[in-house]
Amino acid sequence: MGRATVAFWSVILILAGASAFYGINAEKQRRSVQSAGGKIESGDLVRLVKVIDGDSLVAAREGQPPVTIRIVGIKSFDAKVEKDVVTPFAQAAMETIQRSMLDRPVRVLLATTPKDKYGRYLATLYVDDEDIAIRLIRQGLALVYTVYPFPAMQGYLQEQEQARAGRRGLWSNATATERALALIREWRNQNQ
């Protein structure tokens, strides 16, 4: 075997090892977040522990283990994808959740189905009687996720249309708007 061949396969082995290492650690982190052992009920007051992304977070009741919560009715773009036109909006959604909820009591209203298949609680979250999801939609930082209908969906859709008409957040960017509209069409087709 020539030097070039040995170098090539060495680089391949290093890349494969690094991918496996990062993949295993990412899966461990995901499992630890989703297997948090706490429990919440509708009406509970919780405190923010950590923002996972623009539609999921970890919160805990006073003196209780943390739980993972998926905010009902919204979907945010991925904040971890570098150099993507929608990344700043996803990061802004995370920052909005952080600012809105940090060191403040958050009221939980669990969905009819309180947990999803990943073990996350499905809930609407309120800070000072304001729905956090509505705040994100109004600012154009999250989309109304219509695959699973929910009681407040029509109000959320009206807020989304106003954000779009006002060109707020992702609606101010043509490429982000195009991607958002493609997702909305895809979700609509899933409901038919």
Side-chain angles (χ1 to χ4, degrees):
M1 244 193 288
R3 278 187 147 163
T5 304
V6 169
F8 171 79
W9 286 109
S10 296
V11 168
I12 295 297
L13 285 173
I14 290 169
L15 290 174
S19 295
F21 173 78
Y22 288 112
I24 289 168
N25 283 331
E27 181 62 17
K28 282 181 185 175
Q29 182 178 7
R30 183 190 67 80
R31 284 187 181 167
S32 72
V33 165
Q34 291 181 349
S35 66
K39 185 177 185 225
I40 58 173
E41 295 179 13
S42 274
D44 282 351
L45 288 175
V46 298
R47 297 265 182 194
L48 177 67
V49 174
K50 174 179 150 183
V51 177
I52 297 171
D53 58 30
D55 52 42
S56 301
L57 54 100
V58 177
R61 288 187 324 176
E62 188 70 34
Q64 298 294 314
V67 298
T68 304
I69 300 173
R70 170 75 165 76
I71 302 172
V72 168
I74 63 169
K75 181 70 180 139
S76 171
F77 285 106
D78 190 351
K80 295 171 186 77
V81 180
E82 289 186 34
K83 298 181 183 176
D84 190 347
V85 69
V86 296
T87 300
F89 305 111
Q91 291 169 341
M94 292 177 67
E95 291 165 8
T96 298
I97 293 171
Q98 181 80 21
R99 272 193 322 274
S100 301
M101 296 177 59
L102 190 64
D103 297 326
R104 299 178 76 188
V106 179
R107 175 99 34 219
V108 174
L109 177 61
L110 292 179
T112 307
T113 304
K115 286 190 175 185
D116 66 8
K117 64 183 177 181
Y118 304 108
R120 300 176 298 187
Y121 281 94
L122 302 172
T124 303
L125 303 175
Y126 298 90
V127 174
D128 298 330
D129 295 326
E130 181 187 19
D131 181 340
I132 294 298
I134 289 282
R135 179 180 289 186
L136 294 170
I137 293 165
R138 275 188 190 136
Q139 294 178 12
L141 303 177
L143 300 173
V144 179
Y145 189 58
T146 58
V147 173
Y148 303 105
F150 56 100
M153 191 161 77
Q154 287 309 311
Y156 281 28
L157 288 168
Q158 289 172 355
E159 291 291 342
Q160 179 172 273
E161 195 49 46
Q162 289 176 9
R164 182 178 174 197
R167 302 177 51 83
R168 293 191 295 267
L170 66 91
W171 303 109
S172 67
N173 179 292
T175 305
T177 296
E178 189 176 300
R179 289 194 33 205
L181 293 174
L183 280 173
I184 290 167
R185 281 190 300 276
E186 179 183 326
W187 298 336
R188 191 177 305 128
N189 290 336
Q190 287 180 19
N191 283 331
Q192 294 178 352

